[in-house]
Amino acid sequence: MVNQSKPKYKRNLKNTLIEPFKQIKFGLYVLGLSAAFVGVSAYMFVNAFVEQYQHVMGIFNVVDTKLQWELVTNDVFRSNAIRIGVMFTVFMVVMLAMLIRLTHRYYGPLVSIERFVDQFSAGDYKLRCRIRDKDELHDLVSKLNAMAEKMEQRHGGGPVHELNKARDGKVS
């Protein structure tokens, strides 16, 4: 029995950034929004902390301002601040990795579709558009391939294909 599975189309690491400027621009928007969200959350956290601090200091009637901040900014506070900073950094790295992966799934097929359209416009009706199984836009690719098949049935391989046959001496 012959295995008739589709060939796998994989890109190497060099091609991870398909449209680098578009992917980076999109990524910067998402990372910027994420950073803004984290910044607003941090502001709200610090504001709540200061209010709680003032409330506790009022209860204990601590008068010396240096002593007030030393009570609060101790080792526990510093270790929590470091944890939050590390969590923020990990969040941004994971977000960037996910952005590259997701934009790759959309921009990768768009590059293949653009090449297909260019060659199809030049008259090569035998060409078919191929994308990886994990890529998006499979419905569009299916419709483009169906269109190419209809054009090939109507016009043969197309003017470019006929010129290549004539050039190669295969004119019937």
Side-chain angles (χ1 to χ4, degrees), residues 103-121:
T103 57
H104 193 261
R105 291 177 81 178
Y106 284 96
Y107 284 118
L110 289 176
V111 170
S112 296
I113 291 168
E114 187 176 342
R115 279 190 212 128
F116 168 80
V117 168
D118 287 345
Q119 290 181 313
F120 190 81
S121 297

Side-chain angles (χ1 to χ4, degrees), residues 28-39 88 91-92 95:
L28 288 176
Y29 285 141
V30 174
L31 287 175
L33 286 173
S34 298
F37 174 76
V38 169
F88 176 73
F91 170 76
M92 292 304 245
M95 181 67 75

Side-chain angles (χ1 to χ4, degrees), residues 52-63:
Q52 184 66 30
Y53 165 78
Q54 289 172 349
H55 179 70
V56 169
M57 290 303 126
I59 291 173
F60 292 111
N61 293 324
V62 176
V63 179

Side-chain angles (χ1 to χ4, degrees), residues 45-69:
F45 174 78
V46 168
N47 193 31
F49 175 77
V50 167
E51 287 177 9
Q52 184 66 30
Y53 165 78
Q54 289 172 349
H55 179 70
V56 169
M57 290 303 126
I59 291 173
F60 292 111
N61 293 324
V62 176
V63 179
D64 187 12
T65 57
K66 290 182 181 181
L67 182 60
Q68 289 176 349
W69 285 109

Side-chain angles (χ1 to χ4, degrees), residues 38 51 72 78 81-82 95 123-125 138 146 152-153 163-164:
V38 169
E51 287 177 9
V72 176
R78 286 187 193 102
I82 290 170
M95 181 67 75
D124 187 0
Y125 304 138
H138 281 280
E152 183 181 9
Q153 289 171 356
L163 286 173
N164 288 340

Side-chain angles (χ1 to χ4, degrees), residues 5 9 129:
S5 65
Y9 294 97
C129 188

